[in-house]
Amino acid sequence: MIRRQHVAADFFPEAEAMRAAYDEKVGNAYRQAIEWQYFCDPRMYTYLRTAPQQVFAQPLWRRFDRHLRQWCMEHAGLVPTGEPNLHLMVNGCTLGLHSDFQNGTLGFVYSLTRWESRKFAGGETLLMRDGVPSYRKHHVQGEVLYELVPARFNQLLLFDDRIVHGTPTIQGSMDPLEGRIALVGHLRAASPVVTAGPLDEAAAREVIAGFHRSLAQPLKPFKDVQGVTSLRLAVAADGRVESVEVLTDNFVTAQSGYEADDDVAAARALVLDAAAKLRFPGAGGQSKLIAPVLLPLPDLRPVEIVVAHAGQAAVLREALKAQLKEGEALGFRVEVQGDSFAVREPLAGTIRIESHRIVAFFDAPMWVPSQREHFQAALAEKLGMLARYAG
């Protein structure tokens, strides 16, 4: 079970191939064609970043992306939000202390840095510890206040996105072959997904939606508990829940952090007990289902966006297909189904092109309000641009 943070060593079998691709791309300054963004806010951040496809050949990148998504769903019950950025940090680069709670549930850092033979100081992921230092203590410094996690080669680090974190300033070479090289991104809850067995996914999502609604009243006394738990349910052929496994659980209160807390324990027990009593439609055999719960419970209404258009539906469908293909910033995974687009990630839903309007309809996300608002605004903007283009 993943709680505050987790390290997965030897993460990707083709890590050496990824590092070789990077070395080949940047090793000769006269042939290097990567479009780096120099991301600099002098008060907070200084580093270089680019899209991973700038560096890795498409087949290799697809294998890594598939491995990352499968691993995260299997071990955390969460999915990456869009595509990560490839970060390069050389002498003088730094990430100041910040929190990413609006970006995801867990942050991740996948390192391609030759950490054991590095020629620089700094570059670890700094995670602040829970609690506030007491002024009564004579002297407090260093790793009493924070933890430093080395960016070892082929290591995936996950951590609670609410934790204040950063990367100490790199002191060393300006050579891009000798820098800190890492893929950086975020994980977030997706719609409930059947990972094995014959259980109908749409029917399962309906059951989980009812499960979320049923929690509203019992959880009212625990309004200070916040966080995400991701559950893997083993469902028998007759629809009974045979077991509940917790994959991610970062329930905390602002007062206790990750320390033991009676309210956290009670809220967790309530959620697990209710999940164990669920009943799904019967199917032809055992199934496994992954479903998230966010506390405090978010807006449980589905996301619905309607945009009028005056264009031809066929032209709009082709344009939308191209937009969704490029929609990695929203994390879309889409299948074309006639006049509709069935979306699996970041949420289950559909986008339909009708005669005079575009209709997008998605499950209610287990996301904090700002994450939902950003998704709705970004999608509404894309659909609005599409409608204007087609008109």
Side-chain angles (χ1 to χ4, degrees):
M1 180 179 68
I2 296 171
R3 289 275 290 149
R4 191 179 193 274
Q5 66 201 73
H6 178 81
V7 169
D10 301 322
F11 177 72
F12 183 50
E14 297 183 77
E16 288 291 352
M18 293 186 75
R19 178 62 203 231
Y22 173 85
D23 290 350
E24 182 179 0
K25 283 282 188 177
V26 306
N28 187 318
Y30 298 96
R31 293 200 307 265
Q32 199 245 99
I34 299 172
E35 296 178 5
W36 293 102
Q37 178 191 11
Y38 179 50
F39 195 88
C40 182
D41 176 345
R43 300 166 300 171
M44 283 294 297
Y45 309 115
T46 304
Y47 61 93
L48 296 160
R49 71 182 184 185
T50 192
Q53 294 90 339
Q54 290 270 331
V55 175
F56 309 114
Q58 190 175 60
L60 177 60
W61 175 247
R62 282 180 174 174
R63 291 194 296 274
F64 175 83
D65 182 64
R66 184 167 57 249
H67 179 76
L68 176 67
R69 288 178 176 278
Q70 290 175 345
W71 190 96
C72 290
M73 181 57 76
E74 175 69 20
H75 293 85
L78 305 171
V79 295
T81 60
E83 294 203 335
N85 287 308
L86 181 67
H87 284 201
L88 169 61
M89 300 180 72
V90 292
N91 186 60
C93 289
T94 191
L95 294 179
L97 293 176
H98 64 286
S99 172
D100 279 313
F101 78 96
Q102 293 192 46
N103 292 327
T105 300
L106 300 177
F108 72 83
V109 178
Y110 173 69
S111 177
L112 290 171
T113 309
R114 301 290 190 190
W115 189 260
E116 303 308 324
S117 59
R118 70 192 185 281
K119 298 178 182 178
F120 59 82
E124 302 91 347
T125 299
L126 184 156
L127 301 174
M128 295 298 292
R129 299 190 187 278
D130 287 352
V132 178
S134 172
Y135 70 90
R136 298 176 187 274
K137 294 182 179 178
H138 176 65
H139 188 64
V140 178
Q141 66 175 7
E143 293 195 58
V144 174
L145 300 176
Y146 56 77
E147 178 180 1
L148 294 174
V149 183
R152 293 193 170 91
F153 182 73
N154 199 20
Q155 170 186 282
L156 180 72
L157 167 67
L158 305 178
F159 57 89
D160 187 331
D161 253 334
R162 296 168 297 185
I163 297 172
V164 174
H165 60 280
T167 301
T169 304
I170 300 287
Q171 301 176 44
S173 174
M174 293 289 288
D175 186 342
L177 295 174
E178 300 291 348
R180 180 188 189 266
I181 305 144
L183 288 158
V184 178
H186 304 275
L187 307 181
R188 195 181 291 180
S191 295
V193 58
V194 175
T195 57
L199 182 62
D200 179 72
E201 192 161 279
R205 294 204 312 270
E206 283 295 319
V207 173
I208 296 299
F211 165 58
H212 291 149
R213 291 191 293 270
S214 74
L215 291 172
Q217 191 64 33
L219 284 171
K220 276 190 174 180
F222 308 108
K223 61 183 183 302
D224 292 332
V225 179
Q226 54 182 261
V228 172
T229 188
S230 185
L231 309 175
R232 177 158 47 216
L233 310 181
V235 181
D238 64 0
R240 291 177 299 106
V241 173
E242 294 182 319
S243 66
V244 179
E245 179 185 3
V246 179
L247 300 177
T248 293
D249 177 2
N250 65 8
F251 284 174
V252 296
T253 69
Q255 294 75 29
S256 64
Y258 274 93
E259 298 295 327
D261 182 274
D262 289 344
D263 280 356
V264 170
R268 180 184 297 118
L270 192 155
V271 169
L272 294 180
D273 182 61
K277 295 175 180 175
L278 290 175
R279 193 67 181 249
F280 293 86
Q286 189 192 61
S287 301
K288 290 190 176 179
L289 167 77
I290 292 177
V293 177
L294 170 73
L295 298 185
L297 286 169
D299 185 347
L300 297 178
R301 294 173 299 172
V303 173
E304 186 170 15
I305 299 170
V306 179
V307 177
H309 74 82
Q312 296 181 2
V315 174
L316 273 169
R317 277 192 290 275
E318 291 305 309
L320 180 57
K321 189 185 301 183
Q323 275 217 9
L324 292 174
K325 187 176 180 181
E326 298 171 358
E328 292 301 331
L330 293 175
F332 280 119
R333 292 294 186 272
V334 179
E335 297 173 6
V336 180
Q337 296 182 347
D339 292 341
S340 297
F341 297 83
V343 183
R344 288 180 58 85
E345 293 179 17
L347 297 172
T350 58
I351 303 176
R352 298 192 316 277
I353 306 291
E354 299 180 353
S355 57
H356 298 292
R357 62 180 195 165
I358 306 169
V359 180
F361 188 87
F362 292 89
D363 287 353
M366 287 288 105
W367 300 345
V368 298
S370 59
Q371 293 168 359
R372 175 174 172 142
E373 290 162 9
H374 177 266
F375 173 79
Q376 291 180 162
L379 182 57
E381 181 181 8
K382 281 186 175 294
L383 297 181
M385 289 174 60
L386 182 70
R388 291 191 294 274
Y389 161 79

